[in-house]
């Protein structure tokens, strides 16, 4: 039996070699650049405008930990610009599932900055595409080197990741120089979830573990939407989203998350203005 | 062995260059105690030039059998370790023990696959190899090149350790212990009862910046437990063979500083990005490869401690 198993895993390894042709590190004029194909698949080939003055994307130049790479998206629209950011799509070109996340920005929440954490499998371009109320797409990109050493885009303690399933935490941060009068707030929502990619074959059963991740997260102040995220397997385990917004005077913060097995996780918190 | 025959046949069918299991030079090893041999890895990242030989690996010879403890960072290093064993004994290699699933400790496994040899690992090791193996092979093919990496296979353990297990090499007992998540979630130590030499794998680092790929809080707890083991000397995963338990002191200080700094950064509302630059900066001058590993340790520590 163990010999048989061995043979199967050898075969699986070989299939991997045959199917997964080694990818060259991404470079700008590379004919293997996946971006044109991604524009077609994700954005239906809509025109991409230069987003340098519209949207900022910040990531470390090197993915220190392949499983937890911080990314910050920032609106660069100047005050007084009549346009509004409707949604931001985050694309990690060389990941197995390049569409990492799609953020919908609440119409009245004035979200100007979103930080989360993603997995990075390879040397890759990372694109942020903002859709504005003028109906156009604006793109900015950065480049991230894959992590070295034994870092991998997988859970470090798979048991812990399961044991936190569905736990939600909310935190407010004091923004320096922004008192309660400005209404500007910074908050964070964390959700315990293993975010399994489903890309790994179990060596014993030879079956792929099913993907298991948060695919939708919605956040409201009272009943007014602040931010919603559609996520995929490129979002790190225990999804964590930190963002700025403008308070509408609400007293409650609410979050609801759904995962691919249909679990719904809900929580709400009283907004504490005393620390602002 | 069936697997090897199958592999070679399949590779030939694919038109891949047939690899030659050539007679390799013996890996340099020191006999640090009677029957206990260690190759001291270079404190470096795995590269094409060093063929991945960066971890301390070794073997123990009993009256009837040999146990290998970790197999190195490439098939070549594994073959050279095999040659070093064969230069000293013709007793059968009954066990190949992997202290955890990192590439520098187990990429040489395939060199030891043959009938009569059992692979031994933590009960979580198969899962780690499943989730990480294909990624590791791809990542290190980029870094080290196909010649060193194409033949690597994630050979999983056939004997799983949960708690404590002993292996008998013939008038020589090895005590294996599987630990809760610490350096990784599949750390295993090997104590040679006869010489009181402890092979700690990467639960112990000296000089080489400790690498956090499991649980920071778990590791600190495990360090306290490890210190009670009745060992005289330790073969750390990286760094020189040292007295026990004094060898734990530097690493304990580093991990404690990391934990307390990260805790303070989280309390003050700093971002995970800021933490990577600020935490435990005072430790920088005390470790090698700090810039290669410390920022990721701080990142991992942050994402763990923020759930406290």
């Amino acid at each position: 039996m163990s010999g048989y198993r061995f043979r199967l895993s050898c075969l699986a390894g070989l299939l991997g070699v045959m199917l997964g042709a080694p990818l060259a590190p991404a470079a700008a004029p590379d004919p293997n650049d996946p971006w044109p194909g991604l524009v077609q698949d994700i954005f239906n080939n809509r025109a991409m405008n230069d987003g340098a003055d519209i949207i900022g994307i910040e990531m470390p130049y090197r993915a220190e930990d392949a499983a937890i790479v911080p990314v910050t998206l920032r609106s660069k629209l100047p005050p007084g610009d009549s346009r509004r950011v409707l949604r931001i799509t985050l694309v990690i070109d060389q990941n197995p599932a390049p569409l990492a996340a799609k953020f919908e920005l609440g119409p009245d929440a004035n979200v100007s900055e979103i930080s989360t954490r993603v997995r990075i499998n390879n040397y890759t371009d990372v694109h942020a595409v903002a859709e504005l109320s003028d109906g156009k797409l604006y793109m900015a990109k950065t480049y991230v080197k894959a992590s070295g050493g034994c870092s991998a885009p997988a859970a470090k303690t798979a048991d812990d990741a399961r044991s936190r399933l569905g736990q939600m935490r909310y935190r407010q941060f004091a923004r320096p120089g922004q008192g309660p009068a400005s209404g500007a707030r910074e908050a964070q929502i964390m959700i315990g979830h293993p975010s399994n990619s489903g890309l790994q074959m179990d060596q014993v059963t030879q079956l792929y573990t099913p993907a298991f991740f948060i695919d939708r997260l919605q956040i409201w102040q009272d009943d007014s939407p602040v931010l919603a995220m559609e996520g995929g397997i490129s979002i790190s385990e225990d999804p964590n989203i930190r963002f700025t917004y403008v308070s509408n005077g609400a007293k409650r913060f609410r979050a609801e998350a759904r995962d691919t097995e249909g679990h719904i996780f809900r929580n709400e918190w009283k907004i504490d203005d005393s620390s602002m | 062995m069936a697997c090897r025959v199958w592999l070679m046949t399949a590779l030939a069918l694919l038109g891949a260059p047939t690899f030659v299991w050539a007679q390799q030079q013996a890996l340099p090893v020191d006999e640090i105690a009677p029957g206990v041999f260690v190759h001291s890895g270079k404190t470096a990242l795995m590269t094409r030039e060093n063929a991945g030989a960066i971890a301390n690996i070794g073997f123990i010879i009993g009256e009837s059998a040999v146990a290998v403890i970790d197999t190195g960072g490439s098939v070549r290093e594994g073959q050279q370790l095999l040659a070093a064993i064969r230069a000293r004994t013709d007793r059968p290699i009954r066990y190949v023990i992997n202290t955890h699933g990192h590439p520098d400790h187990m990429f040489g496994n395939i060199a030891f696959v043959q009938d009569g040899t059992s692979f031994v690992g933590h009960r979580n090791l198969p899962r780690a190899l499943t989730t990480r193996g294909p990624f590791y092979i791809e990542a290190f093919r980029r870094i080290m090149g196909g010649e060193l990496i194409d033949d690597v296979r994630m050979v999983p353990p056939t004997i799983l350790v949960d708690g404590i297990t002993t292996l008998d090499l013939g008038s020589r007992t090895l005590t294996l212990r599987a630990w809760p998540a610490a350096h990784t979630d599949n750390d295993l130590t090997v104590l040679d009862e006869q010489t009181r030499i402890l092979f700690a794998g990467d639960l112990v680092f000296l000089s080489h910046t400790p690498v956090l790929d499991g649980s920071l809080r778990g590791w600190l707890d495990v360090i306290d437990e490890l210190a009670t083991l009745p060992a005289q000397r330790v073969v750390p995963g990286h760094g020189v063979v040292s007295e026990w338990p004094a060898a734990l002191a530097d690493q304990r200080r580093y991990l404690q500083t990391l934990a307390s700094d990260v805790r303070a950064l989280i309390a003050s509302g700093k971002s995970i990005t800021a933490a990577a630059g600020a935490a435990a900066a005072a430790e920088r001058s005390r470790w090698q490869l700090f810039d290669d590993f410390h920022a990721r340790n701080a990142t991992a520590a942050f994402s763990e401690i923020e759930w406290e």
Side-chain angles (χ1 to χ4, degrees), chain B residues 58-77:
Chain B
F59 55 93
I60 298 174
I61 303 175
E63 280 186 10
S64 59
V66 180
V68 174
I69 302 161
D70 287 341
T71 59
S74 60
V75 180
R76 184 186 298 167
E77 190 186 2

Side-chain angles (χ1 to χ4, degrees), chain A residues 10 14 18 62 64 68 117 121-122 149-151 156-159 169 171 190 192 200-201 203 240 242, chain B residues 3 10 14 102 127 130-132 135-136 140 142 156 181 185 214 266-267 269 273 292 296 303 306-308:
Chain A
C10 292
L14 283 170
M18 290 194 298
R62 189 180 78 158
E64 301 289 355
I68 313 163
R117 301 161 194 178
N121 286 54
N122 207 329
C150 48
S151 177
K156 291 180 182 57
T157 53
D159 297 330
R169 296 209 188 158
R171 187 173 171 193
M190 299 159 56
Q200 303 98 11
M201 184 187 279
Q203 289 185 334
N240 182 312
R242 182 168 170 164
Chain B
C3 182
L14 285 170
H102 280 161
R127 179 174 65 193
T130 300
T131 53
R132 291 154 172 259
F135 174 80
Y136 282 154
F140 282 97
R142 284 196 302 262
D185 71 356
I266 290 172
T273 311
D292 293 294
R296 70 162 280 193
S303 71
E306 69 189 339
W307 281 95
E308 280 183 343

Side-chain angles (χ1 to χ4, degrees), chain A residues 42-54:
Chain A
I42 299 173
F43 302 100
N44 205 17
N45 253 345
R46 291 171 63 188
M48 286 289 157
N49 299 286
D50 178 6
D53 297 326
I54 306 286

Side-chain angles (χ1 to χ4, degrees), chain A residues 51-112:
Chain A
D53 297 326
I54 306 286
I55 175 99
I57 175 167
E58 292 163 24
M59 296 182 82
Y61 178 59
R62 189 180 78 158
E64 301 289 355
D65 182 331
I68 313 163
V69 185
V71 52
T72 297
L73 304 167
R74 204 187 302 277
S75 166
K76 291 183 171 178
L77 284 179
D81 195 307
S82 61
R83 295 170 299 174
R84 189 176 83 71
V85 180
L86 302 179
R87 57 187 64 88
I88 303 172
T89 306
L90 179 66
V91 181
I92 304 171
D93 295 19
Q94 300 282 357
N95 267 14
L99 174 53
K102 200 153 90 179
F103 299 96
E104 298 274 341
L105 281 58
D108 309 313
N110 206 359
V111 170
S112 54

Side-chain angles (χ1 to χ4, degrees), chain B residues 30 47 58 68 84 103 111-112 130-133 178 186 201 203 212 240 244 258 296 299 302:
Chain B
D30 296 315
T47 61
V68 174
F112 294 90
T130 300
T131 53
R132 291 154 172 259
N186 52 91
L203 284 175
L212 174 60
V240 297
W244 190 255
L258 181 62
R296 70 162 280 193
T299 304
F302 193 101

Side-chain angles (χ1 to χ4, degrees), chain B residues 58-71 81-82 85-86 91-99 109 111-121 155-161 165-176 188 190:
Chain B
F59 55 93
I60 298 174
I61 303 175
E63 280 186 10
S64 59
V66 180
V68 174
I69 302 161
D70 287 341
T71 59
L81 179 64
L82 179 58
I85 296 168
R86 286 293 162 246
R91 289 171 204 166
I93 297 169
R94 191 164 296 151
Y95 302 108
V96 174
I97 303 163
N98 285 123
T99 60
N109 276 14
F112 294 90
V113 171
Q114 61 169 344
D115 288 333
T117 300
S118 296
F119 286 76
V120 186
V155 181
T158 46
I159 298 176
L160 298 182
V161 182
T165 298
T166 57
L167 301 178
D168 179 18
L169 303 181
S171 303
R172 185 158 210 158
T173 301
L174 305 184
T175 301
L176 276 54
L188 182 74
V190 182

